[in-house]
Each structure stands twice: as structure tokens, then as C-alpha cells.
Amino acid sequence: MTNPKLKIGIILGSTRDGRVSPQVGEWVKGIADQRGDADYEIVDIADYKLPFLGTTDGSEPGIAAWNQKLASLDGFVFVVQEYNHSITGALKNALDFAREAWNDKAAGIVSYGSTGGARAAEHLRGILGELKVADVRTHPTLSLFTDFENGSVFKPADLHQTNMTAMLDEVNAWSGALKTIR
């Protein structure tokens, strides 16, 4: 009997107009799909139209759909933008709208910003720890100055391929291991 492939969600962490996270997410998915070791899908938090946490009775269909999507996944790759030295409000809100659906899973982080999004990634790591998500060490960081043309067209340097491959190796290994305790 063979184990089914892991399901890894590539979470787009921005909902802003003009965002570049879909370009980065497609790049991540393109690299990931070539591996054939898991089923990868882009999960765009904008599609769920989540209200601000605590401002409604929680009956919006997007909330249940968001939790169901997360529960169906074995691991995650977060595409994280740095805004004001942290993650976006939309991503924080989406993280807070689920609890158990995150637990005992692994995640990698691909970040971008003026300093490669490193500060946002560090903030995300603290939140993931509270949600019982094991984040992997390898972390591709993309610069708005060298990996984006005019700040809007994603053109990653070739060197990022190595970090992406290593990060995906770690996410898959950890996701597989953590699946055994869920």
C-alpha cells in the first residue's frame, strides 16, 4: 500500500490591489510542481472574503470554507510581503480565523520586501509557533530591488532556485512526519 501524496497549500498573504503575491505564488508552484513529490495548490486568502475577526457573528461562508481548505492540507508555503516591518493585516486576520486546522503541520516561508521580507517572516514564525505549525529553516528571501522590475514584475534571480528546492525538501519531510501524529 502506498501513501497518498501530501497536499501542500501555497498561501498568498496579501489582498491589496496591485499585489505581486500571485506572481510569486505561481513561481513557487511552478518549481514545486516539477518535483512530483506532493500536490501543490495556490490558496489565495482574498478568495475567502474573510471579515475582520470579532466584527461579525462568524456565520459568513468564507470562514467555514477557509477552515475546511486548511484542514484538507498537510503543509504550507507562505508567500509573505513585508509591510511596516511585519506581515499584512489580511494574513494575520486569516491566521486568526483558524486554530485546529493549522495544528501539527509544517510550513515554509517565501518572503519579499526591501530587506527580502525578513522582518515579516520573523513575525510570522512567532505566530506559527502559537498555532502549532512547525516552520522550516530554509527561507527564500526576495528583494524588491533586484527580483522585481519596477517593483511590479517578478523576475527572480536564478540563485533563489536552490533555496526554493531546499525549503520544499524540508516542508515535505516535516509535513510527512507530522501527518503521522494527526
Side-chain angles (χ1 to χ4, degrees):
M1 186 167 144
T2 61
N3 290 332
K5 283 185 176 181
L6 293 170
K7 295 178 183 174
I8 307 295
I10 301 166
I11 310 287
L12 302 185
S14 176
T15 59
R16 285 187 177 185
D17 289 337
R19 64 195 173 137
V20 295
S21 59
Q23 294 176 61
V24 179
E26 288 294 337
W27 174 74
V28 171
K29 187 172 183 334
I31 293 169
D33 284 346
Q34 291 176 8
R35 300 165 54 92
D37 57 354
D39 290 328
Y40 299 91
E41 69 176 288
I42 292 177
V43 180
D44 189 346
I45 60 176
D47 293 341
Y48 294 87
K49 302 191 182 347
L50 298 170
F52 286 114
L53 185 67
T55 62
T56 70
D57 66 3
S59 63
E60 290 82 359
I63 298 169
W66 174 243
N67 277 271
Q68 289 168 353
K69 173 49 67 183
L70 297 175
S72 75
L73 299 168
D74 298 306
F76 313 98
V77 173
F78 287 89
V79 175
V80 180
Q81 313 60 22
E82 184 170 315
Y83 294 143
N84 298 320
H85 291 214
S86 192
I87 63 173
T88 66
L91 177 57
K92 179 63 168 93
N93 191 57
L95 289 161
D96 290 346
F97 256 113
R99 189 83 189 164
E100 291 78 20
W102 296 115
N103 294 175
D104 300 320
K105 296 179 182 179
I109 301 169
V110 177
S111 64
Y112 61 89
S114 60
T115 59
R119 297 170 292 209
E122 288 307 308
H123 283 185
L124 179 58
R125 289 181 194 283
I127 297 164
L128 294 177
E130 178 61 22
L131 295 172
K132 294 176 54 178
V133 176
D135 60 285
V136 302
R137 181 182 181 277
T138 303
H139 166 203
T141 58
L142 308 166
S143 170
L144 286 176
F145 303 114
T146 59
D147 296 306
F148 293 85
E149 188 174 279
N150 298 322
S152 61
V153 179
F154 183 49
K155 295 191 174 184
D158 291 338
L159 64 93
H160 297 301
Q161 177 77 36
T162 302
N163 278 342
M164 276 300 306
T165 298
M167 187 262 303
L168 291 169
D169 288 345
E170 293 171 11
V171 167
N172 287 328
W174 288 33
S175 293
L178 288 169
K179 189 172 185 173
T180 65
I181 64 169
R182 285 197 309 277

